[in-house]
Amino acid sequence: ESEVEALVSELLRTQDGFVNAERRCREMERAELAASAQLAEGAQSFSTHGAALSAELAAVRLDEEQLRGELKTTRAQLLRSKTESKRELAAATVTEQRLRSELMAAENKCSMFESEAPAAREAELEIRDGLRDATES
């Protein structure tokens, strides 16, 4: 009988161990399902976030291309403006030189007239005196 009791006792312990093992197995299955759900949710969130980042990157690249185009256009405009400014400066320099030459010629004429003015006044006075003498006589 003591052998039967020992076997029954061992059977009960084994049964308790089996029940505990089943309970732990169910708990682990529930934990695995929860982890799997969290993993799926995380993967979905990562996928959504990745898609948003990809869209944002595409928009940034588009902006970059537009800015590069604007930069090329601006550089071309600046180059044209610089070339036009150089032409205008060259033309203004030529005009300035021509005007300086004309001014020097005018100044020379003025000097000549100024130097001839006293002689011309004297000649005018002589002519008037001559006319007055001729009229008086």
Side-chain angles (χ1 to χ4, degrees):
E1 232 180 78
S2 70
E3 194 176 308
V4 170
E5 286 177 7
L7 285 174
V8 168
S9 176
E10 188 178 327
L11 178 63
L12 288 175
R13 277 194 313 265
T14 304
Q15 217 173 13
D16 284 346
F18 181 72
V19 168
N20 285 338
E22 278 186 327
R23 185 172 30 85
R24 281 193 307 251
C25 186
R26 283 192 301 274
E27 287 172 0
M28 288 174 67
E29 285 175 349
R30 282 193 295 270
E32 183 183 351
L33 285 173
S36 181
Q38 283 181 337
L39 182 61
E41 183 181 316
Q44 179 63 37
S45 174
F46 182 76
S47 175
T48 302
H49 187 64
L53 287 177
S54 292
E56 190 174 335
L57 178 60
V60 166
R61 284 186 176 152
L62 180 62
D63 287 346
E64 179 186 16
E65 285 303 312
Q66 288 174 342
L67 289 173
R68 285 182 192 274
E70 290 175 19
L71 180 60
K72 284 181 183 178
T73 301
T74 302
R75 281 183 180 159
Q77 289 172 343
L78 285 174
L79 185 59
R80 280 194 298 276
S81 293
K82 184 178 176 182
T83 303
E84 289 172 11
S85 293
K86 283 182 179 179
R87 281 190 209 126
E88 290 171 2
L89 179 60
T93 302
V94 167
T95 302
E96 179 187 14
Q97 289 171 351
R98 182 182 52 81
L99 291 174
R100 283 184 189 271
S101 295
E102 290 176 9
L103 177 62
M104 285 176 57
E107 286 174 346
N108 288 339
K109 282 184 182 178
C110 283
S111 293
M112 184 179 72
F113 287 138
E114 285 173 356
S115 67
E116 292 176 358
R121 279 191 209 113
E122 193 175 310
E124 179 185 2
L125 287 175
E126 286 177 10
I127 292 171
R128 285 185 187 204
D129 286 345
L131 285 175
R132 191 179 46 230
D133 288 345
T135 340
E136 288 175 2
S137 11

